[in-house]
Amino acid sequence: MAANPSPPRSVDPSALIGDAVSAAQRTLRNLGSQVRLPLDGVSSATESATNLVQRAATILEEELAAGIVAAQRVEGQFIDVKALHEPSDNGELLVRFRRDAHDVIDILVDLAASAADGLSGAARRAIRITASDEPRPSRPTAGSANRDVIASLTVPEPVNPGGSAAVSMSVENDGELPTEDFALVFSGLVSGTGAQIASDRIEFTPKLLNLPAHDRIRVEVQVHVPADSPPGVYSGVVQATKLDHVRAVLVVTVN
Amino acid sequence: MFERSSLSPSTDTVVPSAASPFGDFGHVEAALERYRAFTAAAMVRYLPDKEPRRHLYDLVADYPTRPGKALRPALCLATCGAFGADIANAERMAVTLELIHNGFLVHDDIEDESDHRRGRPTMHRLHGIPLAVNVGDALHVLSLRPLMECRDILGPGLAWRLFCEIEHMIRESVEGQAMEIGWIHDNQTDLAPDDYLRMTLKKTCWYTCIHPCRIGALIATGGHLPPARFDRFGYYLGAAFQIQDDLLNLVGDEGKYGKEILGDIWEGKRTMMLIHLLLECDPDERPWLVRFLARPRTTRTGGDVHQVREMMDAHGSVEFGRTCSRYLAGAALAEFEIAYSTAEDNADSRFLRDLILYMIGRDL
């Protein structure tokens, strides 16, 4: 297609972008879905329209959260087929990470082996690290106790050297018994050129986890990129202590 | 019987409009026409040239060949190009999107009891509802073949993701349509602008703007770019587009608009303007308005329809809609800078940026 010259501008688009845009970009998690636009007593259509953009952003977040949960249930039915026929594409199923409270990553653990490591006598329990855009793998059968499902945790935006980024994940226990105390540890990040970011540059909050049955906890992962880090895509492994099968791959792109 | 040659790049171009309030966007319309022609040339491969012709395949080619903006393929192709890929990679998905859209149009026209579409009688007015319903179904079925071919062209993993995008897109759209039709069916008169926003997100925005952009980006980057970054941009753009479309139904030039002016009032469609009017009308006006909306369409009169239109002017509903559309476009402009921050500076990305103001300044 031929390049088009830039058109002459008779109106500065930025004149149209007022406080409404700033408001639309803020996290609007605390706005209740029952809040209605204040048309009564509003002195001008402009104020109502400003609120309109805020409401639009909230509605989008609500619909995405509801849709992602529903989609996980659907996608989970397809995991086994994909793994059976296209094992190399498993990673592609672990997609669409969102940087908000709805991020979940699914790792399903067969704790029959873990019980032998000292967790109190559960024949079977399920601990998941969940992100909202990840499909939920099916529970492994008795014959697949050693099968690992490794989730991908990707920082969605590139990070500048010297900068930081945070992502959230949820660790969920939908088994019948509580866990013992465990922590998340990190291997450190390495890029395709061999550049490394030390493990102490990644922080988990909280550091120590303990989940009752049918409970979940949110963990924030902070990544601090050293100022002298070369650009590239870095990856490393998040591992839960005492739970050998609970792990995820963290991927960060440095500008 | 439709001539197959009508699907080749057409001389039936969009007539460049007069300069909009936001500037001269003839270049946007020219780009839309190029994307449309690119899609139309590819689409011809997927419209069967066989029996049954008279009651199916001749009719199937009708809506896709009528003058239109082909906005969805344009967003998909332009996003693909904006991220540095050959837009030919997105050809099949552009065809899929356009076939799905035209199937929706055929069914929408039946649901809305519309008489005209793009300047001509609607499919069901020409051929009756039973044939029209089947033509709409056929357009949806035909959209699957190009989608299936993506498996060999783009790889199975990426093709599966594109399938998931389409599945979500269609599901959201039918749910949104159910909301809108349900409001009319139940004579719902206690709505707020946020109800409209939610319905429009589901019915219009996912399939008109969000998913086309997501699909174009997935194809361009081999699935590496997180598609969620386009959600806000597509939502604000789609909502601004839909409100502008509803405004044109009230104030547009019927010759350019292609559908009957005030048709939404005849239908009782809960547009942002009607919702505003229901909230803002005088207490002594509201019972009349509610009764008007409760009546079947066939019992409404032209005088009543024009009275509703005048009430919208009197209570600032049309101006409210314009303001909403402009603020949403403003939000879309801001989100564009974020969503396309890593895109190349080329004709495709500039088209996408300029499209935003074009959509709310257009008169057709």
Side-chain angles (χ1 to χ4, degrees):
Chain A
M1 293 182 133
N4 288 321
S6 297
R9 295 201 182 279
S10 59
V11 174
D12 179 5
S14 64
L16 298 176
I17 305 173
D19 292 340
V21 174
S22 300
Q25 292 176 351
R26 287 198 298 270
T27 300
L28 300 170
R29 196 175 307 160
N30 292 325
L31 283 180
S33 61
Q34 298 306 312
V35 173
R36 295 191 160 211
L37 288 178
L39 287 180
D40 292 341
V42 172
S43 59
S44 72
T46 300
E47 292 176 21
S48 297
T50 299
N51 292 329
L52 184 85
V53 179
Q54 292 179 320
R55 288 298 304 141
T58 299
I59 287 165
L60 176 62
E61 295 298 316
E62 290 170 359
E63 290 292 321
L64 285 171
I68 286 164
V69 170
Q72 275 189 305
R73 297 192 195 107
V74 172
E75 288 177 351
Q77 300 172 28
F78 295 94
I79 286 293
D80 282 338
V81 175
K82 280 281 295 175
L84 187 63
H85 293 289
E86 294 174 329
S88 62
D89 289 336
N90 269 346
E92 293 192 32
L93 301 176
L94 309 176
V95 296
R96 292 184 295 123
F97 182 84
R98 280 191 62 83
R99 184 178 54 186
D100 61 20
H102 309 294
D103 294 341
V104 288
I105 301 174
D106 280 328
I107 301 178
L108 188 64
V109 178
D110 180 356
L111 293 184
S114 298
D117 294 335
L119 294 171
S120 60
R124 185 182 179 87
R125 69 187 68 174
I127 297 181
R128 309 167 194 273
I129 296 178
T130 55
S132 59
D133 291 332
E134 296 292 346
R136 185 170 299 227
S138 62
R139 291 177 178 274
T141 62
S144 59
N146 293 322
R147 178 177 152 215
D148 289 347
V149 179
I150 301 175
S152 175
L153 176 59
T154 304
V155 177
E157 300 295 339
V159 186
N160 292 325
S164 298
V167 299
S168 296
M169 62 184 186
S170 291
V171 184
E172 182 177 315
N173 177 13
D174 59 353
E176 299 301 321
L177 294 171
T179 69
E180 293 185 358
D181 289 350
F182 66 97
L184 295 170
V185 293
F186 191 64
S187 66
L189 293 162
V190 62
S191 76
T193 60
Q196 297 183 26
I197 297 175
S199 60
D200 62 1
R201 289 288 182 156
I202 281 77
E203 295 178 30
F204 299 100
T205 307
K207 292 182 173 53
L208 195 63
L209 306 176
N210 185 312
L211 281 170
H214 299 293
D215 202 357
R216 65 189 299 175
I217 186 169
R218 185 158 313 284
V219 177
E220 182 170 272
V221 183
Q222 278 266 341
V223 180
H224 305 287
V225 178
D228 59 350
S229 295
V233 179
Y234 293 73
S235 59
V237 179
V238 178
Q239 173 76 54
T241 61
K242 304 180 184 178
L243 297 170
D244 291 341
H245 299 290
V246 180
R247 63 176 79 96
V249 173
L250 176 66
V251 180
V252 179
T253 300
V254 176
N255 285 326
Chain B
M1 177 179 177
F2 275 95
E3 296 295 334
R4 291 295 159 199
S5 60
S6 66
L7 291 172
S8 59
S10 171
T11 56
D12 192 10
T13 58
V14 175
V15 176
S17 60
S20 83
F22 307 110
D24 181 2
F25 289 103
H27 67 291
V28 174
E29 292 186 338
L32 278 168
E33 171 54 24
R34 287 195 295 272
Y35 293 122
R36 187 208 65 78
F38 180 87
T39 305
M43 189 186 297
V44 68
R45 301 199 304 269
Y46 301 98
L47 299 182
D49 184 12
K50 68 185 187 72
E51 296 294 344
R53 296 177 195 278
R54 182 167 161 236
H55 296 130
L56 184 61
Y57 288 125
D58 288 345
L59 309 187
V60 155
D62 180 2
Y63 272 35
T65 55
R66 295 190 185 186
K69 290 179 290 298
L71 175 63
R72 295 148 191 87
L75 287 170
C76 178
L77 295 169
T79 299
C80 182
F83 285 94
D86 185 348
I87 66 167
N89 294 338
E91 173 195 271
R92 285 166 176 78
M93 291 308 298
V95 171
T96 290
L97 289 167
E98 189 64 2
L99 286 171
I100 290 171
H101 169 56
N102 279 278
F104 277 147
L105 290 182
V106 173
H107 288 168
D108 276 358
D109 287 341
I110 298 170
E111 291 156 0
D112 300 344
E113 300 179 71
S114 297
D115 294 324
H116 292 91
R117 164 70 61 185
R118 296 173 177 169
R120 294 184 57 199
T122 50
M123 179 74 67
H124 65 282
R125 289 284 180 251
L126 285 172
H127 304 289
I129 290 177
L131 280 175
V133 169
N134 196 52
V135 168
D137 290 345
L139 284 163
H140 288 154
V141 168
L142 293 170
S143 74
L144 295 177
R145 176 57 57 182
L147 177 59
M148 292 162 62
E149 290 179 358
C150 287
R151 190 181 196 277
D152 296 328
I153 303 298
L154 302 175
L158 182 55
W160 175 249
R161 293 184 68 182
L162 297 177
F163 175 82
C164 293
E165 295 283 320
I166 294 294
E167 186 273 339
H168 180 264
M169 182 187 85
I170 297 176
R171 181 159 40 84
E172 288 289 336
S173 188
V174 299
E175 289 178 6
Q177 182 77 337
M179 288 175 67
E180 185 179 63
I181 297 175
W183 288 344
I184 298 173
H185 183 272
D186 297 342
N187 194 31
Q188 180 62 264
T189 55
D190 186 28
L191 297 169
D194 50 353
D195 296 312
Y196 175 86
L197 287 176
R198 192 179 303 273
M199 181 277 296
T200 291
L201 167 63
K202 294 173 78 71
K203 179 193 167 183
T204 300
C205 298
W206 281 112
Y207 109 94
T208 295
C209 296
I210 303 175
H211 279 294
C213 293
R214 288 173 59 119
I215 288 169
L218 283 169
I219 293 171
T221 63
H224 293 296
L225 194 66
R229 69 195 288 174
F230 300 97
D231 291 352
R232 284 195 178 92
F233 166 69
Y235 181 22
Y236 298 146
L237 179 64
F241 165 80
Q242 185 60 59
I243 294 173
Q244 177 66 13
D245 201 60
D246 294 342
L247 282 167
L248 288 175
N249 193 265
L250 299 175
V251 305
D253 181 315
E254 188 154 337
K256 290 181 180 177
Y257 182 57
K259 295 198 293 183
E260 57 176 335
I261 298 300
L262 304 187
D264 289 346
I265 299 180
W266 278 100
E267 180 194 335
K269 183 178 175 183
R270 270 40 172 190
T271 61
M272 183 68 89
M273 286 68 72
L274 181 63
I275 289 171
H276 179 271
L277 179 61
L278 283 164
L279 287 166
E280 293 292 304
C281 63
D282 298 335
D284 57 348
E285 291 175 317
R286 187 180 168 84
W288 178 88
L289 185 57
V290 172
R291 283 196 303 273
F292 166 83
L293 293 171
R295 292 206 301 271
R297 176 182 177 138
T298 51
T299 66
R300 293 171 184 157
T301 68
D304 290 342
V305 167
H306 280 90
Q307 183 169 344
V308 173
R309 176 67 184 88
E310 288 168 5
M311 289 169 66
M312 287 181 173
D313 279 337
H315 292 284
S317 302
V318 173
E319 188 53 36
F320 178 74
R322 280 202 188 96
T323 305
C324 290
S325 179
R326 292 180 181 188
Y327 269 78
L328 286 164
L333 273 170
E335 289 295 331
F336 171 83
E337 299 300 332
I338 298 170
Y340 291 85
S341 60
T342 55
E344 296 183 5
D345 181 17
N346 57 26
D348 296 309
S349 61
R350 290 192 292 271
F351 159 77
L352 289 163
R353 182 199 59 214
D354 294 342
L355 180 70
I356 299 167
L357 291 183
Y358 167 77
M359 294 311 300
I360 64 168
R362 64 192 173 103
D363 57 1
L364 58 85

